[in-house]
Amino acid sequence: MKIFPTKELKFKLIDSQSETLNRLNRRTEKSESLTSQHTDKSFRGVISENNFKLISSVIGKGAFCVMIGEIGSNKGNVRVEIHKVFRILLSIILCFPAIAILVAILTGNEEPNPIFILVVIGQILMIRYAFIGLAFRFISKNSLDRLRDVLDIEWIK
């Protein structure tokens, strides 16, 4: 089980590599830090030769997913993962149920009970799959749809 989801996709270029890279350069605001900021472009990030590392420019949720990819002569690939800052914050949130039970037991408010272990595991799984998993699925889909529109590509199954 991966703690944080990732998505890897391959795509086929409709236009030439140079035209696709030119289109991506026009629609990307250059930013080394990959932070969310208001812009009229579709993406923020770094493009070097035929490699890119981008976030969506949508304020509020665009920085959640980072798209790292390469554009070849006819094909390319992209990997979508959760931004490092969000991974750190989500790791802290994933630890909250275990910390809460430990604090309750150590302060004497609760008696140690094996059912607490099941409750903690259930809460961690709920946070991981219900909250983090669904948020990643929807936000990454929006980011990949935006990338497909900008690059004019077709996904390969």
Side-chain angles (χ1 to χ4, degrees), residues 43 143-155:
F43 300 107
S143 296
L144 288 170
D145 287 345
R146 184 179 276 222
L147 183 69
R148 185 194 66 219
D149 292 342
V150 168
L151 295 183
D152 197 23
I153 57 176
E154 289 181 14
W155 300 116

Side-chain angles (χ1 to χ4, degrees), residues 26-149:
R26 280 190 318 233
R27 299 296 302 157
T28 302
E29 181 178 310
K30 306 301 183 253
S31 171
E32 293 284 331
S33 62
L34 296 178
T35 57
S36 187
Q37 203 172 45
H38 184 68
T39 180
D40 60 340
K41 308 250 180 163
S42 297
F43 300 107
R44 293 195 54 166
V46 180
I47 303 169
S48 60
E49 296 177 15
N50 61 342
N51 297 315
F52 60 87
K53 186 173 185 178
L54 306 171
I55 62 168
S56 177
S57 64
V58 176
I59 298 294
K61 59 183 178 180
F64 187 76
C65 292
V66 177
M67 295 177 286
I68 303 165
E70 180 180 5
I71 299 173
S73 58
N74 293 327
K75 296 181 181 180
N77 59 18
V78 64
R79 185 177 80 243
V80 184
E81 58 188 33
I82 296 176
H83 197 289
K84 188 175 185 177
V85 173
F86 287 101
R87 283 193 307 234
I88 293 169
L89 292 172
L90 293 170
S91 296
I92 293 169
I93 291 171
L94 280 170
C95 292
F96 281 165
I99 292 170
I101 294 297
L102 284 174
V103 168
I105 291 172
L106 292 176
T107 58
N109 292 342
E110 296 288 335
E111 294 292 323
N113 193 341
I115 198 80
F116 286 149
I117 295 172
L118 294 175
V119 170
V120 167
I121 292 171
Q123 288 173 341
I124 291 171
L125 290 174
M126 183 75 136
I127 292 169
R128 164 54 180 92
Y129 289 104
F131 300 125
I132 297 172
L134 289 176
F136 178 77
R137 180 178 290 166
F138 292 123
I139 294 172
S140 66
K141 183 181 181 321
N142 289 341
S143 296
L144 288 170
D145 287 345
R146 184 179 276 222
L147 183 69
R148 185 194 66 219
D149 292 342

